[in-house]
Amino acid sequence: MKNWWFLRGLRKGILTEKYPQEIAEWSTEIQGKGEANCPTNAIQNEKWIPEKCIFCRRCYPNYKPNLNPKIYKIKSTNKLFRRSFFLYPIDSGTCGGCNTELKLISAPEYDMTRFGIFFTNTPRHADALVVMGVVTEKMKEVIKEAYDAMPEPKLIILLGTCAISGGIIGNGIPMEAAAFIPGCPPNPYIILETLVKVKGE
């Protein structure tokens, strides 16, 4: 079973799955009316704020997913990254969920390399810094050092609710970024789709 993906690729020439028709509903946009017992204030005046949502489902049944997975925000792109896009993941204190979902995009099922996306072990070779976890004052200094070590052009991607707004802890330091991928944790397909768009495709 370990070589299943490899053997299927040799026999059929298909290495990856197509974009799914259905994605886990509790990683999609949430809509509804009425009261919400939300621990992160992700629902204010009956408006859902994806950057704050940890998908704890405490707002259910007044609020439900509408199956729209495109909850990310892209503020800037760069076509110079079309041929290759190297990511340097940096963990500022996660539960491990975002790390796991990010690593999944390198698996044969998602195969980020077909889009020219790769991981690198040093910020000196990176095009984008992928920040996961709550950004504290001390971690902001570490992130700045990593960012300063990167060659131009460069950008930051905030992955997960903790990195964007602080999540359940709620004391994260806001950061300027090219893309925001909310979720607790985000879905691998959405991570991959966002990265492809950020690199100008």
Side-chain angles (χ1 to χ4, degrees):
M1 287 300 293
K2 289 182 179 179
N3 298 321
W4 185 79
W5 281 101
F6 175 74
L7 293 173
R8 192 182 81 164
L10 286 177
R11 288 174 186 161
K12 298 186 177 181
I14 300 172
L15 301 178
T16 57
E17 288 188 352
K18 293 180 180 179
Y19 195 86
Q21 297 297 316
E22 297 180 8
I23 290 180
E25 61 178 354
W26 283 99
S27 63
T28 65
E29 185 180 13
I30 293 174
Q31 287 183 321
K33 289 184 179 180
E35 294 183 4
N37 183 20
C38 183
T40 60
N41 292 318
I43 297 176
Q44 299 176 14
N45 300 319
E46 299 187 342
K47 182 181 178 183
W48 181 62
I49 305 168
E51 294 85 0
K52 289 177 173 277
C53 186
I54 58 170
F55 294 90
C56 64
R57 309 186 191 191
R58 288 173 69 175
C59 59
Y60 184 86
N62 290 343
Y63 293 82
K64 300 177 184 178
N66 68 3
L67 306 181
N68 172 24
K70 300 180 187 299
I71 58 176
Y72 53 82
K73 287 184 180 176
I74 298 173
K75 292 204 169 181
S76 63
T77 63
N78 195 324
K79 292 183 179 180
L80 289 175
F81 300 138
R82 275 187 171 181
R83 296 187 68 181
S84 65
F85 191 43
F86 283 85
L87 311 175
Y88 180 70
I90 188 163
D91 187 332
S92 61
T94 71
C95 66
C98 289
N99 308 57
T100 302
E101 300 302 301
L102 180 64
K103 286 177 184 176
L104 275 175
I105 67 171
S106 66
E109 183 178 0
Y110 305 98
D111 191 15
M112 66 183 188
T113 58
R114 63 188 158 137
F115 299 109
I117 301 172
F118 309 92
F119 290 127
T120 181
N121 293 324
T122 170
R124 298 186 186 280
H125 298 162
D127 301 309
L129 203 61
V130 182
V131 180
M132 301 167 286
V134 180
V135 181
T136 60
E137 278 292 348
K138 288 189 177 180
M139 278 308 299
K140 191 172 183 180
E141 294 175 16
V142 174
I143 292 168
K144 185 180 184 304
E145 284 182 22
Y147 185 75
D148 290 344
M150 294 166 63
E152 295 284 354
K154 55 189 175 182
L155 48 86
I156 293 176
I157 297 168
L158 298 183
L159 179 64
T161 300
C162 288
I164 300 170
S165 67
I168 194 69
I169 296 171
N171 293 320
I173 297 170
M175 292 184 64
E176 288 296 320
F180 301 83
I181 312 175
C184 191
N187 186 286
Y189 282 106
I190 301 309
I191 297 172
L192 193 56
E193 181 174 320
T194 307
L195 293 174
V196 169
K197 289 189 176 183
V198 167
K199 68 193 288 285
E201 291 190 13

